[in-house]
Amino acid sequence: MVWLTLRQHRMQLLAMLVLLLGAGALLLFSGLEAQGYAAAHAPPGCPGQQDVCGEVNAGLADRYDAVYLFVGMLPLAAPVLVGAFWGAPLLAREYEQGTNKLAWTQAASLRRWLTVKLALLATAVTVSGLVMSAMVSAWLPGFREAKGDTSFANAGVFSMVGVSPAVWWLFAFLFGAASGTVVRRVLPAMAVAVLGVVTVTFVLFNLRDTYAEPVRLVTTHYETALDRGAMMKELTWLSPSGVESALPPFDVCSMPNTQRGAIEQETCLFEKGYQRVFYHHPTSRFWRFQWTEAGILLAGALPLGGLTVIRTLRRRN
Amino acid sequence: MTPALEATGLGKRYRGGWALRDLSLAVPEGRVVALVGPNGAGKSTLLHLAVGLLDPTHGTVRAFGEPVRQAGVAFMAQDKPLYDGFTVAEMLRFGRTLNPGWDDDLARNRLAELEIPLRRKVGRLSGGQQTQVALTLAVAKRPRLLVLDEPLADLDPLARQDVLRALMSTVAESGMTVVFSSHVVADLKDTCDWLVVLNRGRLQVSGDIDELVAGHRVLRGPVEAADAIADRLPVIAHERTDRQATLLVRSAQPVPDPRWHEHRVDLEQMVLAYLRDPGSSALPRPALAALGKDDRPWSG
């Protein structure tokens, strides 16, 4: 049965292996190259945030951004591909080709056939997600001074580290499998899987900053007071009389029309007793948010898996 | 003796309506059963119920007294599904992996005799070869009951003959019970010894073919005497001209009236007569008894 599962899904497994090897090679190369660049170009005292490090930090940031073009696509692309190519065809293909009538009339029971397939592929997809997460996590520290800790604040990176890729891919796999048992044709099932995974992705990305009550920080020295890499929810102004507003007052300091003007306005307002209010999630909440999202996705994956099993085992037509 | 296949009050309803109603039959072990009926009669539904691919809406179906999924039943579906991307050897491995009673020698010898290369992808085989591979998968499981849904459809006449001959030699060696469906009666005449006729989702005929043939006769005689015959015997079909009537009646005894000439009934003719008249039926006693017991509250 294990052989059958591997044989039937070898293209998907192979594609996943290629993706992991490709991503691994890219991240390893990028990491080593960045390390070499920093060693050759960093003035004494760097790495750090001092002005003298500006140039080497900019160079590292460019390198990070180039790789991020690829890594930043994965949070959406990888679950979509897993849902469409691993999940959707799992049962839809059998129904469409009529091979379910072959596979389900063997001595081995349908229950066992389904259990082995779901368990094996779900494990493979989860392990692949963890491997991807480990590789991205190993790549990130080389750019911490240049880009800050992006693993929490950046929605794309957050989805590629911790347990996130594993649970997202598992969810997408089960979503695809469930759509295959409902639609029973490969292409429509793939379309449903893509649509579903994309929708859930956008919804959860937008809900993320509500996983916890944000911390309220009132300060005029946010460069030092604010946790670099924190997840920002809302930014407001607090007047000396204690009134909070989203926009700065227009009649206290002159309105800016350049970036420099914005800084001047801010300095001016701070001098008049105004303060900024940051509603944010500090980076210490990283794991809490990871597990919250994992919990939401697993709570969704469970009924999808149940639907797949029930619809397959119940032989009405 | 436990029947190889036994259905009691079997019914299956889809969203569109009843595909099969109130069906009770018992097929003895070792028979080669022809399941005949027009398209849409419910043949595939009955076979899918018999192999456990469908759950019945009403009633039960058992093979050798056991639930069909545990009874060692092999099935070849109508479109002869195989994994197109697999090689023939991989299809055999599929059979071996999923069936503890798999006979690999039997499978290999059978394919070698048919000169089907093991390394070829299933999708690249001819239609006849694919049917043979599907059939090999079914028989190498050494099932006690082999169920084939339209095994000869989509085959050219030559391949039809080959498949049928290969099937019959396997059956003769193993003694397994075979049920196969067809909407072409001629296919089954020489190979089967038990006939089941389905029509519009209901069972019309189930019985030993020799007994059925012996139990029906074609009578030709004067048209004015036809009604008298119809009063005494079940008439399945009749044809009348001004002077002469031809009747197909169910009767084991000859008609004593010398005005009537008797002919032996032809199987194909008999099947067609039943199909044209969905109201009549020829069922053995046990099936009728089972029907009465479960589904006819007014009968007792």
Side-chain angles (χ1 to χ4, degrees), chain A residues 219-221 237-240 249 252-254 262-276:
Chain A
T219 182
T220 53
H221 298 92
W237 289 92
L238 185 66
S239 73
V252 179
C253 295
S254 59
I263 297 171
E264 282 165 1
Q265 183 202 27
E266 196 179 67
T267 317
C268 164
L269 283 168
F270 285 164
E271 280 165 3
K272 307 249 185 216
Y274 281 85
Q275 294 184 88
R276 301 228 73 173

Side-chain angles (χ1 to χ4, degrees), chain B residues 38-281:
Chain B
N39 290 329
K43 299 193 295 293
S44 285
T45 300
L46 174 57
L47 296 186
H48 285 176
L49 288 164
V51 299
L53 274 174
L54 282 176
D55 287 330
T57 314
H58 286 307
T60 56
V61 56
R62 296 172 89 80
F64 308 101
E66 290 180 81
V68 288
R69 278 174 209 149
Q70 283 127 57
V73 180
F75 180 55
M76 186 170 90
Q78 190 167 357
D79 31 11
K80 294 131 194 167
L82 295 167
Y83 294 106
D84 282 349
F86 280 31
T87 63
V88 176
E90 283 171 331
M91 281 311 317
L92 295 188
R93 184 163 178 191
F94 166 89
R96 197 163 65 234
T97 309
L98 298 181
N99 298 283
W102 178 261
D103 187 338
D104 212 44
D105 291 336
L106 184 150
R108 279 166 195 279
N109 292 340
R110 199 166 181 282
L111 292 173
E113 263 171 48
L114 296 161
E115 296 180 352
I116 294 174
L118 292 181
R119 286 199 189 158
R120 182 144 322 155
K121 286 235 161 115
V122 166
R124 300 176 58 88
L125 297 174
S126 72
Q129 287 177 319
Q130 289 186 0
T131 303
Q132 291 287 18
V133 172
L135 206 52
T136 305
L137 277 182
V139 297
K141 290 162 65 176
R142 296 210 155 278
R144 293 172 75 190
L145 173 63
L146 174 61
V147 178
L148 310 165
D149 194 359
E150 300 266 1
L152 304 174
D154 324 319
L155 292 182
D156 62 64
L158 213 60
R160 240 166 220 264
Q161 284 238 312
D162 290 346
V163 169
L164 214 48
R165 193 177 309 129
L167 175 64
M168 284 311 130
S169 69
T170 315
V171 169
E173 282 163 30
S174 64
M176 66 177 85
T177 309
V178 182
V179 177
F180 62 111
S181 67
S182 178
H183 57 274
V184 187
V185 184
D187 280 344
L188 314 168
K189 216 154 49 174
D190 305 324
T191 38
C192 300
D193 54 17
W194 191 277
L195 177 72
V196 174
V197 178
L198 267 189
N199 203 3
R200 300 184 189 171
R202 289 186 185 269
L203 182 67
Q204 262 194 299
V205 178
S206 174
D208 179 275
I209 288 180
D210 289 340
E211 283 174 21
L212 283 170
V213 170
H216 289 76
R217 43 206 73 228
V218 177
L219 303 176
R220 193 163 291 140
V223 73
E224 60 273 15
D227 289 340
I229 294 278
D231 285 344
R232 289 196 295 125
L233 297 172
V235 176
I236 315 304
H238 53 84
E239 234 173 73
R240 297 176 194 212
T241 62
D242 284 346
R243 292 165 48 217
Q244 188 178 263
T246 308
L247 308 177
L248 173 65
V249 298
R250 188 163 72 248
S251 166
Q253 266 75 50
V255 177
D257 193 333
R259 289 177 295 174
W260 292 94
H261 296 281
E262 281 195 16
H263 300 272
R264 194 182 150 78
V265 69
D266 171 69
L267 178 65
E268 200 167 343
Q269 191 186 355
M270 185 179 75
V271 169
L272 288 176
Y274 272 103
L275 291 181
R276 281 204 194 95
D277 181 13
S280 57
S281 60

